[in-house]
Amino acid sequence: MKSQDLLRWRPLACAAVTALGTTWIAIPSVAAEIPPTVPTLPTVEVVGTTPLPGMGTPLRDVPANVQIFSAEDLAKQRRSSLVDYLAENSTSVTANSSQGNPFQMDINFRGFTASPLLGTPQGISVFQDGVRVNEPFGDVVNWDLIPSSAIAGMQIIPGSNPVFGLNTLGGAIAIETKNGRDYPGGAVQVSAGSFGRATTEFEWGDTRGPFDYFLTGNFFEDDGWADHNASRVKQYFGKIGWRDDRSRVELSLTGADNKLQGTQTLPVSFLDSPKKAYTFPDANVNQLAFATIKGSHFVNDRTLLGGTIYYRKYQNANLSSNVNHDFGEIDPGTGATDTVQAANDRLVVDQASYGLGLQLTLNGVVADRDNQIAIGASGDFGRARLTRESQDAQFTAARGTLGIGNFETQTDARTANVYYGLFVTDTLNLDRRWSLTLAARYNRAEVKVADLTGSAPLLDGTHTFARINPAVGLNFNPSERFTTYATYNEGMRAPTPIELTCADANAPCRLPNDFLADPSLEKVVAKTFEIGARGKWNRADTWSASAYRTDLDDDILFIGSADAFGAGHFANVGHTRRQGIELAMATRVDRLSVLARYSYVNATFQSNFIENSPNNSSADANGNIDVRTDDRIPAVPRHALKLRVDYDFAERWTAGAALLWSGGVYARGDENNADRNGKVPGYAVMNVNARRQITPRLEFFGRIDNVFDRRYANFGTLGENFFTGPNRTFGPAVGVDPQPEQFRGLGAPRGIWIGLRYGLNSKSDGHE
């Protein structure tokens, strides 16, 4: 944009820069983009408050504890996985290893989950360049499909902000990708180290007149720290852009071809051999082709029109080994004894989705007060086909499965999702200190399910959910360096096809495989109150504090079946609550930087209900447990602390250390908090990293995770251990009964990696 235009739009300069390419990222200083002859503008941090391209809102007027991360922040630590970075650097974010693969972790934020596992209740919406990437089938989030080298900036927006649409119960994660104009030049990066891990990464950006382009690719090979949890990740991203003084258009393509193996959780009695798998194989193949067109145009000095169009093709192929819980039982129809030990289940989800969104942003004056209003609409459409085949199998001495029959079709179903949204958000500056934000969104979700086998016609059905969700926020800024706020907002989640087709207590199903004809569920509604404050002592010292409560109506939970072990149904269980506090502080003294983040999350059930959990030691004769009000929700740590220290030993040499401490969590299946195994113990882990700029273009980097090689777990579930025979073989085959145990998801042992990065110019990684 020309400098004279910036002067002409002086009141809108900061927001305009954001709208034309950095919608999600905080802008540290607009003055740095303007030639020295132009009068200096004040420093303003601008954040995106809608998922579609807009003008952004000054941080001082945002009534939320927004967390902002830039490409430079990610580059300092050189993490292989976005989940690893979030778990180490974000307030109220923890991760768990329920599937035993570093790219298939669950992210928990304020007690809500974004997970790649079908059937997990999803309470966080995730966006890439304004497009929601929660998959239409199951609303899962596949972290392995987001290339970290393409990230220009990222925001975590807390609360039930209705503007971000479905699944925004506890928060939204908004990711903006790089372009060639802001990230010119290129780099090649390689690294290697523990677990047979080897990575290669490249990126290149450039401009040609009004055009710019950016390309990046990541290639990750890892044998895994345990047996049978290797990973192969191939990610690609490209973007072509065009801009003039008033308009910006970008076309981006994201591709991935990944194979991820997991090791499942382990019973406590197996923890002396943490690298051994409980059963295997368990593998996921994820393939993605994702195209997005994003654009914005200034109609006049105070009116911006922005929009997105996208198409997303995704396929997941899963092969899993499962114990036959009916082994040894007599079939009442034939009188024969079931001698099949296991099953190999083959599941394929083939999905296509597309959509569009449009937003109009106007800056104006209302009652002699500055006002910004954004009005938008979106439509998202998805189709998916799920097929499941099962094969009888026997276990080897190493607990692997060998097929003993043909694969037979168990499920063949098609689903369709239609989501519409209309929203408005308005920020009114009441005076220089006070600002008021009002917002509302109408969501309509329609989910269709159809049977393709011809044998389950009752499966066919259409489920519709609709609601208007409001929000209000008030900011008070007594000085330029101090902000306080209070807000109330509401959001909703529509039940997924997985939940809708497994909702009958009289017809239990096994996740995520069986589709049945079931009654509908109610939508989940979240209501969040939050108060907070943030400020700066100076340019380098910042702090923030917030307190919140989110109440959910008609929360959905998977309820086990008393008649079929490992099976159950989804049900609305009433009210649940997540409440807590967040504290963060960052300071820099000379060459030393210190960052501290503490979160307290109290996630509880607020309704009484009965759950079948036969492996819970407190269960009655029917395997049922009574869950009472104020019992804690499993898998959510109440306390989490993150301390990070970075020191610049020299101009080109920096080292850092991070200490992560998390409190214990209750295992799934222990919703009444009464199982004799108690909590999965808390843990503390230290990670270190260093960077050395050998030449202006060549950088050496290294990191050590879990420096003291602590053995720890970050997830638990109650289950039945069937491998109670000699040398932990299949016990029922030799007359040894399975035993109820707590199973745990283990964290990785110590890992050491080193690497080199060669930049083709000094801005190739987003910083000098």
Side-chain angles (χ1 to χ4, degrees):
M1 186 177 293
K2 297 179 181 179
S3 59
Q4 58 264 38
D5 291 326
L6 279 175
L7 285 176
R8 181 162 55 90
W9 296 349
R10 185 183 181 95
L12 309 178
C14 300
V17 173
T18 299
L20 297 178
T22 54
T23 304
W24 302 109
I25 312 168
I27 308 300
S29 176
V30 175
E33 304 293 332
I34 304 173
T37 55
V38 178
T40 301
L41 297 177
T43 299
V44 178
E45 288 183 296
V46 180
V47 298
T49 52
T50 63
L52 297 172
M55 295 186 185
T57 302
L59 182 60
R60 69 192 301 271
D61 296 329
V62 177
N65 189 23
V66 178
Q67 299 180 62
I68 303 167
F69 304 95
S70 67
E72 182 179 5
D73 295 328
L74 274 67
K76 290 177 180 178
Q77 298 179 31
R78 305 291 184 208
R79 302 302 307 237
S80 299
S81 160
L82 176 59
V83 172
D84 286 342
Y85 181 84
L86 289 171
E88 185 171 309
N89 296 276
S90 306
T91 308
S92 292
V93 171
T94 57
N96 67 54
S97 308
S98 61
Q99 299 189 78
N101 186 281
F103 287 92
Q104 290 182 292
M105 306 279 278
D106 293 349
I107 281 288
N108 296 305
F109 174 62
R110 289 189 173 184
F112 295 91
T113 304
S115 169
L117 182 63
L118 283 172
T120 301
Q122 310 285 338
I124 301 172
S125 57
V126 180
F127 293 83
Q128 179 180 321
D129 287 335
V131 176
R132 195 174 79 109
V133 295
N134 298 71
E135 306 294 352
F137 187 86
D139 286 332
V140 299
V141 179
N142 292 292
W143 301 106
D144 61 300
L145 304 182
I146 302 174
S148 56
S149 62
I151 297 176
M154 177 170 50
Q155 290 181 188
I156 302 177
I157 302 97
S160 313
N161 190 328
V163 174
F164 286 88
L166 297 175
N167 283 99
T168 312
L169 304 181
I173 299 176
I175 297 168
E176 178 75 7
T177 58
K178 295 178 181 177
N179 61 68
R181 191 170 299 274
D182 296 328
Y183 295 89
V188 176
Q189 176 180 306
V190 295
S191 68
S194 299
F195 320 139
R197 182 177 300 177
T199 69
T200 302
E201 177 184 305
F202 74 88
E203 63 178 80
W204 177 260
D206 204 356
T207 58
R208 292 289 187 273
F211 295 94
D212 63 84
Y213 65 91
F214 180 84
L215 302 170
T216 185
N218 300 321
F219 308 96
F220 179 101
E221 293 277 354
D222 189 338
D223 295 334
W225 68 267
D227 297 341
H228 313 292
N229 76 330
S231 303
R232 183 209 68 207
V233 175
K234 298 179 181 178
Q235 301 169 330
Y236 310 89
F237 177 82
K239 180 185 285 186
I240 299 173
W242 174 89
R243 71 172 65 182
D244 63 11
D245 290 348
R246 288 184 173 269
S247 303
R248 171 70 171 167
V249 179
E250 293 178 334
L251 167 64
S252 65
L253 298 173
T254 304
D257 184 6
N258 306 332
K259 183 176 182 180
L260 311 173
Q261 298 185 54
T263 56
Q264 309 174 339
T265 54
L266 282 178
V268 171
S269 62
F270 282 28
L271 295 186
D272 58 344
S273 302
K275 293 186 178 182
K276 300 297 182 181
Y278 182 67
T279 66
F280 66 92
D282 285 277
N284 279 279
V285 175
N286 287 333
Q287 296 178 313
L288 174 72
F290 176 30
T292 302
I293 299 175
K294 183 179 70 172
S296 58
H297 172 70
F298 274 98
V299 179
N300 55 49
D301 293 0
R302 293 182 174 271
T303 306
L304 178 71
L305 183 66
T308 60
I309 303 173
Y310 73 91
Y311 176 81
R312 185 178 178 91
K313 177 67 173 177
Y314 163 69
Q315 185 179 84
N316 167 257
N318 171 267
L319 176 65
S320 60
S321 54
N322 297 296
V323 173
N324 177 17
H325 293 271
D326 296 328
F327 179 87
E329 294 188 5
I330 298 176
D331 188 320
T334 64
T337 301
D338 192 339
T339 59
V340 177
Q341 297 178 356
N344 289 323
D345 287 316
R346 194 160 60 189
L347 179 74
V348 176
V349 178
D350 194 355
Q351 170 189 289
S353 56
Y354 59 95
L356 70 165
L358 195 64
Q359 177 176 304
L360 183 67
T361 308
L362 303 98
N363 271 4
V365 177
V366 173
D368 295 325
R369 307 296 184 190
D370 291 337
N371 185 74
Q372 182 185 92
I373 185 171
I375 304 170
S378 64
D380 299 276
F381 314 91
R383 290 184 176 272
R385 182 174 182 177
L386 177 140
T387 57
R388 181 179 77 94
E389 300 172 316
S390 186
Q391 175 194 49
D392 291 343
Q394 298 291 101
F395 285 111
T396 68
R399 299 189 296 277
T401 53
L402 290 176
I404 57 174
N406 297 322
F407 278 96
E408 297 182 359
T409 300
Q410 304 293 319
T411 304
D412 190 357
R414 182 174 59 221
T415 68
N417 306 66
V418 178
Y419 300 148
Y420 294 107
L422 296 170
F423 68 87
V424 59
T425 179
D426 185 274
T427 300
L428 176 66
N429 290 305
L430 302 176
D431 58 28
R432 292 184 178 181
R433 295 185 176 185
W434 294 88
S435 62
L436 175 67
T437 300
L438 299 172
R441 181 181 180 110
Y442 171 74
N443 284 317
R444 178 182 171 85
E446 185 177 279
V447 181
K448 297 181 179 180
V449 182
D451 170 61
L452 301 180
T453 65
S455 60
L458 294 179
L459 182 64
D460 299 345
T462 299
H463 309 265
T464 302
F465 310 90
R467 193 174 193 271
I468 296 176
N469 300 297
V472 59
L474 186 66
N475 284 64
F476 175 57
N477 300 282
S479 72
E480 291 294 329
R481 294 183 176 180
F482 182 48
T483 296
T484 63
Y485 63 87
T487 185
Y488 171 79
N489 43 58
E490 297 183 5
M492 68 167 278
R493 176 173 85 82
T496 68
I498 285 285
E499 294 166 337
L500 289 167
T501 55
C502 181
D504 188 350
N506 297 315
C509 60
R510 299 184 188 273
L511 287 178
N513 305 317
D514 297 340
F515 269 25
L516 305 167
D518 290 329
S520 187
L521 296 168
E522 297 296 326
K523 59 184 174 291
V524 182
V525 175
K527 301 175 181 179
T528 299
F529 294 89
E530 181 175 346
I531 59 172
R534 54 179 171 261
K536 296 182 178 181
W537 291 296
N538 52 54
R539 189 176 294 271
D541 299 334
T542 62
W543 62 272
S544 64
S546 64
Y548 63 89
R549 170 181 287 183
T550 300
D551 287 317
L552 265 59
D553 296 334
D554 296 317
D555 204 357
I556 297 175
L557 190 70
F558 186 72
I559 305 295
S561 169
D563 299 321
F565 182 83
H569 70 287
F570 288 97
N572 294 110
V573 297
H575 306 294
T576 61
R577 173 176 294 165
R578 284 83 167 168
Q579 60 184 354
I581 61 173
E582 297 172 335
L583 304 173
M585 182 275 293
T587 186
R588 183 175 179 88
V589 180
D590 195 17
R591 296 182 177 184
L592 178 67
S593 298
V594 179
L595 174 64
R597 298 180 184 271
Y598 168 77
S599 59
Y600 170 81
V601 182
N602 189 29
T604 58
F605 298 102
Q606 293 297 304
S607 295
N608 300 335
F609 62 94
I610 296 175
E611 179 183 10
N612 185 256
S613 183
N615 296 305
N616 189 314
S617 61
S618 66
D620 63 20
N622 296 317
N624 294 326
I625 61 174
D626 292 322
V627 182
R628 302 295 185 184
T629 298
D630 291 330
D631 285 341
R632 287 174 55 188
I633 298 174
V636 180
R638 181 172 285 184
H639 302 278
L641 176 66
K642 302 174 184 181
L643 298 174
R644 181 167 185 86
V645 177
D646 290 280
Y647 189 79
D648 299 329
F649 290 94
E651 183 179 355
R652 298 180 180 271
W653 180 22
T654 300
L659 175 65
L660 310 180
W661 176 81
S662 176
V665 298
Y666 286 103
R668 289 180 182 168
D670 190 19
E671 280 73 15
N672 65 341
N673 307 162
D675 181 67
R676 63 168 171 258
N677 291 289
K679 298 179 186 177
V680 177
Y683 62 90
V685 175
M686 177 174 285
N687 304 326
V688 299
N689 65 282
R691 296 188 303 159
R692 176 73 168 91
Q693 201 73 39
I694 300 173
T695 72
R697 294 189 177 184
L698 182 63
E699 175 190 290
F700 169 85
F701 62 91
R703 66 175 300 107
I704 305 175
D705 286 352
N706 195 357
V707 173
F708 300 108
D709 202 21
R710 297 289 302 274
R711 184 176 296 179
Y712 69 98
N714 51 29
F715 175 79
T717 186
L718 299 183
E720 207 171 14
N721 179 12
F722 276 74
F723 297 96
T724 51
N727 299 314
R728 294 173 178 168
T729 54
F730 189 69
V734 293
V736 181
D737 292 334
Q739 296 298 314
E741 287 196 50
Q742 186 185 85
F743 286 60
R744 294 179 181 176
L746 303 181
R750 179 169 51 228
I752 304 173
W753 301 275
I754 58 173
L756 292 172
R757 182 179 179 88
Y758 184 77
L760 301 183
N761 88 13
S762 60
K763 294 184 179 179
S764 61
D765 61 1
H767 66 285
E768 294 290 347

